Amino acid sequence: GLTSGQRFSEVTARLRKNSVFFTDEEYSRVLSGIVVACVDAMLLRGDKVLLGLRLNEPYKGGWAYPGGRMKPGESFADTAARHVEKNLGLEISPRRFRYVRTDSWAWSKRGQPPEDIGCHMTGTTMAAQVSPQEVERIKIADDLGELNWMTLPEVSANQKIHPAHRAAAEDIIAGSFQS
């Protein structure tokens, strides 16, 4: 049944210990039959947010927040922290991330064969402020072509940024996010 409190911690620990993370080949076989849970990390530096130019589908060639699939037993904040470390080489405590929004996305293309049938994902955006010292330690990963700091209004107006990511910037501008 549904768990909470200490029992929730026990169940998520068991899920983490026994989870299987699919290879791309395995993942391509199940992708058409599932909705994938993903988390994107908005790293904020004052009024600017970090975006990466995607090299892979979905959304190849578009600007996006670093992120990716959740693993069983992870919280949204755990996933955000893991992907920031994987994609940018920066360790950030999951406790620093705050929830911004969740969206449902239908992609016309995906990174796994057959690429042209697309996929369905839910994307949760989490945000954290980063210090100037942390900004200096950021490194580009192999799945991002370049990085760019943009102001929140620039993100909101840029059509090369996915609508859900633009909406997350608008939520922060509107003050619905508390850092």
Side-chain angles (χ1 to χ4, degrees):
L2 185 63
T3 64
S4 62
Q6 178 61 32
R7 179 79 176 127
F8 178 80
S9 296
E10 292 167 7
V11 170
T12 56
R14 189 171 61 238
L15 283 169
R16 283 186 187 128
K17 180 180 176 190
N18 295 300
S19 72
V20 175
F21 200 69
F22 296 115
T23 66
D24 279 345
E25 182 179 323
E26 294 167 326
Y27 186 53
S28 71
R29 288 195 304 247
V30 297
L31 192 53
S32 296
I34 62 171
V35 177
V36 180
C38 296
V39 175
D40 294 307
M42 289 181 80
L43 298 184
L44 300 162
R45 184 186 73 193
D47 70 337
K48 293 187 174 184
V49 62
L50 183 65
L51 292 108
L53 188 63
R54 289 189 53 85
L55 295 177
N56 304 309
E57 296 293 356
Y59 212 54
K60 182 178 181 178
W63 290 97
Y65 306 133
R69 299 184 258 169
M70 291 184 79
K71 289 184 176 182
E74 283 184 330
S75 68
F76 296 140
D78 292 336
T79 304
R82 179 172 57 81
H83 282 287
V84 166
E85 184 172 5
K86 175 186 169 199
N87 295 326
L88 304 172
L90 185 62
E91 287 188 44
I92 295 181
S93 168
R95 291 187 198 119
R96 290 177 51 194
F97 284 95
R98 298 291 176 260
Y99 175 84
V100 179
R101 66 181 293 123
T102 298
D103 295 279
S104 181
W105 311 333
W107 298 100
S108 62
K109 294 194 176 204
R110 64 188 200 192
Q112 298 76 22
E115 293 87 355
D116 62 348
I117 66 168
C119 59
H120 184 181
M121 298 179 174
T122 60
T124 298
T125 304
M126 302 292 288
Q129 292 283 347
V130 291
S131 70
Q133 295 81 11
E134 289 171 319
V135 170
E136 290 177 17
R137 293 196 311 267
I138 291 174
K139 300 176 211 144
I140 236 174
D142 59 359
D143 57 345
L144 299 173
E146 60 184 277
L147 299 174
N148 191 7
W149 289 95
M150 295 183 196
T151 66
L152 292 168
E154 287 172 330
V155 171
S156 175
N158 188 326
Q159 298 301 306
K160 292 273 296 173
I161 298 171
H162 190 275
H165 291 184
R166 293 195 316 263
E170 291 164 7
D171 287 349
I172 292 177
I173 292 168
S176 62
F177 166 78
Q178 302 295 319
S179 61

